[in-house]
């Protein structure tokens, strides 16, 4: 083996996950977020239920999972922040140093995404004390809707809760890999799944479980459109946190002895389970009260509070629901800022504290744009989209898929096959299947998404 071309700087043990399980929990924390609990259930319901779920599962298995492996692989082999890891691996492969821009793109994408993620996560956090106060048991459905509108219309309230989310995020991330990210994931992820299961149990006992199951799982292929298929695809990337450098930086903390293939499969399973369980926690309640399973923020922040307000123990379980949603959002937020923090500390030589203050300050400023999109800045639009909608569209619709495309091309065409095989358990294993998927299927599909997006629809 040629020593000069091997990635040189391994991470210190303190900068590594202490166990395989810690990585799985942290990465599942990154993956399970607002996308699973808020977005997946209603897009599944509206796009053919079971038919959509089938397409989504296929997208996860054939495209998302191999991409997840590719992204973790880059980080694990590069052993540094996304920018340096790409640079080191490009050098190892004798390719252009320009590939490090893929790392830069990842850092930037996480940064932009987090600026609106903290605002939406702030809604979830705000709804914990609100639900716990029991107010929803006293309000009429229309008043509950007005309550959410009023929440969005007050910039100070949104700034306050968004800032709290950001401070919590930085408080954890600032502590580093083992005492921050790992400890938090060890505590929060079991809690999240426990709450999710409790809520499914509650929904099953007091809601219309069979109707919800039919809504989500009965395949109605007549409702499945081309745009629904593209939506399933785009969402498969988003929900697995692919293309934004998050999985790359988490992969860089992964010891060499751990199997990327096996852990990635588990992460994808946990993420998918969380999405399906979220649907089975939400829709039985929605149907039991004759409410609309319509999409948008309203499903979680208006429809559910109406239902919880009318149910026995609704205040308790409603509060649990918003705690769970906040936890899911927080553990994703960690992973969105970690690429920038790793880059600032390793490349710019900053202390972790300084990196957190600088990165956090930038995100806070940018988050104001999202805050104002719901009130005083609702009229500031670009091509009809508010600041928030523009950022969402840019990051989820373009930057994540572009990052994913570059990672696919890099690992499958630029890196030496013996190196990817080494990281993915040898040439005899699943790698044989992984390589053709990454070489042909993944790039072709992503390019198709782009062509569609330019032409007709936005993902
Ligand atoms: N996967 C997260 C969700 O489902 C979002 C996310 C995307 C997090 C990209 C990190 C990186 O909400």
């Amino acid at each position: 083996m040629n020593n000069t071309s091997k990635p040189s700087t391994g991470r210190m043990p303190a900068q590594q996950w202490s166990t395989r399980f810690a990585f799985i929990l942290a990465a599942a924390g990154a993956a399970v977020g607002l996308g699973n609990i808020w977005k997946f259930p209603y897009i599944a319901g509206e796009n053919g239920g079971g038919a959509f779920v089938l397409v989504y599962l296929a997208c996860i298995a054939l495209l998302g999972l191999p991409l997840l492996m590719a992204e973790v692989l880059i980080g694990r082999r590069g052993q540094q922040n996304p920018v340096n890891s790409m640079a080191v691996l490009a050098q190892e492969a004798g390719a252009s140093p320009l590939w490090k821009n893929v790392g830069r793109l990842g850092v930037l994408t996480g940064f932009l995404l987090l600026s609106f993620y903290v605002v939406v996560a702030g809604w979830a956090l705000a709804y914990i004390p609100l639900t716990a106060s029991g107010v929803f048991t006293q309000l009429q459905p229309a008043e509950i809707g007005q309550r959410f509108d009023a929440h969005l219309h007050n910039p100070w309230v949104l700034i306050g809760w968004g800032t709290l989310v950001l401070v919590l995020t930085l408080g954890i991330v600032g502590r580093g890999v083992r005492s921050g990210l790992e400890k938090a994931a060890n505590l929060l992820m079991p809690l999240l799944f426990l709450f999710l299961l409790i809520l499914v149990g509650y929904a099953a006992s007091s809601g219309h479980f069979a109707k919800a199951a039919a809504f989500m799982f009965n395949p109605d292929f007549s409702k499945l459109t081309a745009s629904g298929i593209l939506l399933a695809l785009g969402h498969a990337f988003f929900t697995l946190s692919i293309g934004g450098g998050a999985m790359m930086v988490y992969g860089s903390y992964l010891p060499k002895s751990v199997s990327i293939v096996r852990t990635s499969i588990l992460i994808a399973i946990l993420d998918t389970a969380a999405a399906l369980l979220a649907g089975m926690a939400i829709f039985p309640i929605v149907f039991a009260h004759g409410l609309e399973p319509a999409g948008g923020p309203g499903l979680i922040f208006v429809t559910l509070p109406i239902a919880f307000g009318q149910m026995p123990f609704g205040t308790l379980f409603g509060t649990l629901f918003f705690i769970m949603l906040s936890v899911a959002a927080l553990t994703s937020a960690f992973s969105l800022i970690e690429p920038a923090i790793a880059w600032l500390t390793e490349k710019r030589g900053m202390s972790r504290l300084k990196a957190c203050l600088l990165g956090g300050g930038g995100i806070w400023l940018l988050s104001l744009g999202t805050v104002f999109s719901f009130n005083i800045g609702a009229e500031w639009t670009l091509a009809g989209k508010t600041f928030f909608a523009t950022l969402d569209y840019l990051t989820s619709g373009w930057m994540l898929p572009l990052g994913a495309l570059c990672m696919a091309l890099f690992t499958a065409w630029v890196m030496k096959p013996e190196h990817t095989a080494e990281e993915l358990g040898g040439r005899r294993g699943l790698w044989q299947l992984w390589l053709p998927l990454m070489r042909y299927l993944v790039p072709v599909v992503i390019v198709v998404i782009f062509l569609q997006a330019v032409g007709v629809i936005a993902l």
Side-chain angles (χ1 to χ4, degrees), residues 5 47 71 94 98 140 165 167 179 197 200 216 242 255-256 296 340 343 375 397 437 451 459:
S5 70
N47 286 279
E71 187 166 336
L98 286 177
Q140 294 300 315
V165 172
V167 168
S179 2
L197 289 174
V200 172
M216 280 217 3
I242 290 163
K256 288 278 175 200
W343 177 70
N375 36 70
L437 285 176
L451 293 179
L459 288 174

Side-chain angles (χ1 to χ4, degrees), residues 83-144:
V83 184
N84 289 17
S85 286
M86 285 301 299
V88 167
L89 295 194
Q91 196 188 14
E92 181 185 51
S96 160
L98 286 177
W99 279 104
K100 67 169 179 273
N101 288 315
V102 177
R104 290 200 173 117
L105 176 72
V107 171
L108 181 68
T109 309
F111 192 86
L112 296 180
L113 243 164
L114 188 56
S115 80
F116 66 82
Y117 211 85
V118 292
V119 179
V120 180
W123 304 347
L125 211 57
Y127 267 60
I128 297 174
L130 197 65
T131 313
S133 75
V135 69
F136 295 134
T137 58
Q138 289 142 25
L139 296 180
Q140 294 300 315
E143 292 171 321
I144 292 178

Side-chain angles (χ1 to χ4, degrees), residues 252-300:
S252 77
Y253 304 135
L254 191 61
K256 288 278 175 200
S257 54
V258 175
S259 157
I260 293 178
V261 171
R262 288 221 298 265
T263 44
S264 299
I265 292 175
L266 252 169
I267 293 161
I269 289 176
L270 286 175
D271 184 69
T272 308
L276 298 178
L277 287 173
M280 292 317 290
I282 293 170
F283 288 123
I285 298 180
V286 171
F287 287 128
H289 292 86
L291 297 165
E292 266 304 303
L299 177 63
I300 294 273

Side-chain angles (χ1 to χ4, degrees), residues 27-39 71 109-110 113 117 235-247 271 328-329 331-337 339 396 400:
V32 177
L34 296 168
N36 301 61
I37 298 170
W38 170 60
K39 195 162 179 205
E71 187 166 336
T109 309
L113 243 164
Y117 211 85
H235 190 66
F237 293 171
F238 181 82
T239 190
L240 286 178
S241 305
I242 290 163
M247 292 302 184
D271 184 69
T331 51
S332 295
F334 303 158
S335 75
L336 285 166
I337 198 168
S396 320
L400 288 178

Side-chain angles (χ1 to χ4, degrees), residues 123-261:
W123 304 347
L125 211 57
Y127 267 60
I128 297 174
L130 197 65
T131 313
S133 75
V135 69
F136 295 134
T137 58
Q138 289 142 25
L139 296 180
Q140 294 300 315
E143 292 171 321
I144 292 178
Q146 286 157 11
R147 182 94 212 196
F148 184 54
D149 286 342
H151 186 77
L152 295 188
H153 279 122
N154 188 335
W156 294 111
V157 171
L158 296 190
I159 291 173
W161 287 104
T163 306
L164 185 58
V165 172
L166 193 57
V167 168
L168 288 173
T169 303
L170 294 172
I172 297 294
V173 173
R175 287 166 193 267
V177 180
R178 281 211 182 162
S179 2
L181 297 173
E182 179 172 323
K183 267 203 181 139
N186 275 339
L187 176 77
L188 296 176
M189 291 312 288
L191 201 71
L192 190 155
F193 275 97
L194 177 71
F195 281 15
L196 199 48
L197 289 174
I198 292 176
L199 284 161
V200 172
Y202 177 66
S205 64
S206 49
H208 286 181
F209 207 66
K211 197 166 171 201
F215 180 68
M216 280 217 3
F217 299 118
N218 267 0
D220 180 353
F221 285 96
S222 69
K223 274 209 232 153
L224 189 66
T225 57
S227 65
I229 294 175
L230 287 172
L231 196 62
L233 253 168
H235 190 66
F237 293 171
F238 181 82
T239 190
L240 286 178
S241 305
I242 290 163
M247 292 302 184
M248 209 190 273
V249 78
Y250 277 18
S252 77
Y253 304 135
L254 191 61
K256 288 278 175 200
S257 54
V258 175
S259 157
I260 293 178
V261 171

Side-chain angles (χ1 to χ4, degrees), residues 314-326:
T315 298
L316 172 69
F317 287 100
T319 309
L320 275 193
F321 180 86
F322 285 108
I323 294 177
M324 177 197 66
L325 186 62
S326 302

